C-alpha cells in the first residue's frame, strides 16, 4: 500500500503545526516568527508523511490505514517537540549547511535527532554540502537515516562528487524499515556511487541484509582495492554470507581491521572468515563476537591469526570457545606481542584453561591494557591460576572479571595480584562473584591506592550494608567515592557458598593493606 493524503489534508496538518509553533514562539520568545514556524511546519509534515509512507507496508502485508494515520500524526508531534526543545532560531534548520561539522567529516546524525526516512527532497536538503562544487569531505556517515531508492541516488551523486577526497564511509543502519527489494536496491546504488572513490574504510553494520545484502554490495567490495577496515555487525552474516564476503573482497590481504558481531555465522561460516583473516597478515583489530561458533571455529581462527604477528585488539566474546579453543589460542596469542585489548567474555574458558590462557597472554603480550574475562566459570578453584597470570600484567588499566563466582577468597587473590603487578588500573568490574566482605573490601582498598581510578563495580554480590558503608568510607577517604557503581542488585542478606577459612582471607587483607600502605 502507498500511503496517500489529499493536498488539503496535508495542508491542514501544516497549518495546525504552524499555528502551534507560532503560539509557542510568541509565549516563549515574544515573537511569532521566532521558530520560523511555517517553514518548520512544512518540513515536519514532509518528514512525518515519509515515515508513515515507508511504514505503511510490512513483510506480512499492508498496515490498516488507521494505524498509518496515527503514526503520521505521532511522528509530526515528535518532530514538533524536537523543534521546540531545540529552541531553534530564525534560519536555524535541519539542513546540514546550518549544522557545524567536524573538519572534513560529515555526519547526518548531527542534522536531526530522530530516525528519518529520507525522500529525494530531504536527502538533497541534508546532503547539500556534499553536492556543492569543490566539496572535499574525507569521511561521510549516513548512519541512522533510512534511504529509499530516490534518496540513495542523491547520496550516490554526493559520493561521485567527493570521489577525489572520500576515504571513509559509514553506511551502517541506512535501510531500516524499507521493503527488502527497495533496501537491496539502495545498497546497490550506494555501491555504484562509490566506485570512483579510493576508500580505506567501510562500515555496513546494522543493516541485517544477509547474503543478498552482501551481494548487493558487489561493486563496492570488488571495486575497492585499498580497503583496510570493514565492519559487518548485526548483518545476518550466515555461512552463505560469509562465503560471499570471501568471494567478493578485492584485497583481503590489506585488511588491518575486520569486525563482525551479532551474526549467525557458526562454525561453517567461520571457515570463510578464517580464510580472510589468514590472508590479512597485517591484521591489528579483529572482532568476531556473538557469532555462534564453537571450539572448532575458535581453532580455525587461531590458525588464521598465526599467519601474522601484529594484533593490537582481539574480541571473540560471546562464543563457545571452551577449553579446546582456548588451548589453540594459548599457542597463538603470544605471537602477537603488541596486543593491548583482549575480550574473551562469555567464552566458557573454565577454571583450568582460564589461568593457562591468561598466563600465556601475560608472558607473550606485555603491552596488554584491557582485559575482559567475565562469565567464564573461573570459580574458586581457578582463582589462584588466574591471579598468578594477572600479577604478570604490568600495564593493565581495565579488568572485567565479573560473573565468575570467585568468592571472597578467590577475588582477594586477584586484588593481591593487581597490587603485586603495580598495574595502573583505573577500572575494575567484580560484579556477580558472590563477594560478601573480604573480597569487596580488598577491591575498595585496591581502588583507593590507584591514582586516577575511575570505576569500581561490585553490584550483584552479597555484601552486607555495614560493609557497603565501609567500602564507601575507604573510597571517600581517597577522594573517589564517585567511582563506586550503583549497587541496585546487591543482596545484603545473601549467603555465598564459600568454604575457605576466614583466617586466610584476613591474612591476605592485612598483607594487601600493608602493601598498599592503607
Amino acid at each position: 500500500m502507498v500511503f496517500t493524503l489529499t493536498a488539503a489534508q496535508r495542508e491542514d496538518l501544516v497549518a495546525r503545526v504552524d499555528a502551534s509553533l507560532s503560539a509557542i514562539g510568541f509565549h516563549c520568545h515574544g515573537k511569532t516568527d521566532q521558530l520560523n514556524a511555517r517553514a518548520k511546519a512544512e518540513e515536519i509534515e514532509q518528514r512525518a508523511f515519509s515515515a508513515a509512507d515507508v511504514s505503511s507496508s510490512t513483510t506480512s502485508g499492508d498496515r490498516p490505514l488507521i494505524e498509518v494515520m496515527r503514526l503520521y500524526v505521532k511522528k509530526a508531534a515528535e518532530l514538533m517537540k524536537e523543534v521546540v526543545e531545540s529552541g531553534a532560531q530564525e534560519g536555524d534548520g535541519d539542513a546540514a549547511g546550518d549544522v557545524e561539522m567536524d573538519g572534513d567529516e560529515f555526519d547526518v546524525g548531527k542534522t536531526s535527532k530522530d530516525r528519518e526516512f529520507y525522500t529525494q527532497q530531504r536527502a538533497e536538503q541534508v546532503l547539500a554540502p556534499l553536492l556543492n562544487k569543490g566539496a572535499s569531505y574525507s569521511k561521510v556517515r549516513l548512519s541512522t537515516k533510512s534511504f529509499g531508492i530516490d534518496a540513495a541516488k542523491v547520496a550516490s551523486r554526493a559520493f561521485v562528487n567527493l570521489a577525489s577526497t572520500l576515504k571513509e564511509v559509514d553506511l551502517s543502519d541506512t535501510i531500516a524499515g524499507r521493503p527488502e527489494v527497495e533496501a537491496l536496491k539502495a545498497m546497490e546504488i550506494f555501491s555504484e556511487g562509490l566506485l570512483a572513490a579510493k576508500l580505506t574504510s567501510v562500515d555496513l553494520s546494522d543493516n541485517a541484509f544477509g547474503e543478498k545484502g552482501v551481494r548487493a554490495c558487489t561493486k563496492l567490495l570488488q571495486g575497492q582495492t585499498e580497503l583496510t577496515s570493514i565492519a559487518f555487525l548485526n548483518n545476518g552474516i550466515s555461512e552463505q554470507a560469509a562465503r560471499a564476503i570471501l568471494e567478493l573482497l578485492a584485497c583481503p590481504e590489506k585488511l588491518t581491521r575486520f569486525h563482525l558481531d551479532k551474526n549467525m555465522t557458526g562454525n561453517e561460516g567461520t571457515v570463510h572468515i578464517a580464510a580472510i583473516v589468514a590472508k590479512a597478515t597485517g591484521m591489528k583489530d579483529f572482532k568476531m563476537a556473538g557469532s555462534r561458533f564453537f571450539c572448532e571455529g575458535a581453532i580455525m581462527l587461531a590458525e588464521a591469526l598465526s599467519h601474522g604477528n601484529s594484533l593490537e585488539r582481539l574480541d571473540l566474546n560471546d562464543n563457545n570457545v571452551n577449553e579446546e579453543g582456548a588451548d589453540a589460542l594459548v599457542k597463538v596469542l603470544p605471537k602477537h606481542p603488541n596486543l593491548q585489548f583482549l575480550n574473551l567474555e562469555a567464552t566458557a574458558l573454565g577454571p583450568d584453561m582460564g589461568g593457562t590462557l591468561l598466563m600465556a597472554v601475560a608472558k607473550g603480550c606485555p603491552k596488554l591494557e584491557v582485559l575482559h574475562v567475565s562469565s567464564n566459570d573461573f570459580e574458586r578453584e581457578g582463582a589462584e591460576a588466574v591471579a598468578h597470570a594477572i600479577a604478570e600484567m604490568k600495564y593493565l588499566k581495565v579488568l572485567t572479571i565479573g560473573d565468575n563466582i570467585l568468592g571472597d577468597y578467590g577475588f582477594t587473590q586477584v586484588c593481591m595480584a593487581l597490587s603485586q603487578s603495580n598495574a595502573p588500573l583505573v577500572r575494575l568490574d567484580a560484579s556477580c562473584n558472590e563477594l560478601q566482605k573480604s573480597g569487596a573490601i580488598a577491591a575498595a582498598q585496591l581502588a583507593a591506592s590507584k591514582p586516577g581510578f575511575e570505576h569500581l563495580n561490585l553490584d550483584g554480590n552479597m555484601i552486607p550494608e555495614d560493609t557497603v558503608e565501609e567500602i564507601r568510607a575507604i573510597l571517600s577517604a581517597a577522594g573517589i567515592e564517585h567511582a563506586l557503581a550503583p549497587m541496585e542488585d546487591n543482596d545484603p542478606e545473601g549467603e555465598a557458598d564459600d568454604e575457605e577459612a576466614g583466617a586466610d582471607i584476613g591474612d591476605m587483607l592485612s598483607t594487601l593493606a600493608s602493601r598498599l600502605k592503607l
Side-chain angles (χ1 to χ4, degrees), residues 71 140 174 209 267 304 310 344 416 504:
L71 189 150
V140 172
T174 50
F209 50 34
N267 287 335
S310 54
L344 294 174
M416 291 284 290
D504 290 341

Side-chain angles (χ1 to χ4, degrees), residues 242-256:
R243 182 188 296 113
I245 295 172
L246 173 62
E247 171 193 330
L248 298 173
L249 267 179
C251 297
E253 66 275 7
K254 293 185 179 180
L255 287 180
T256 60

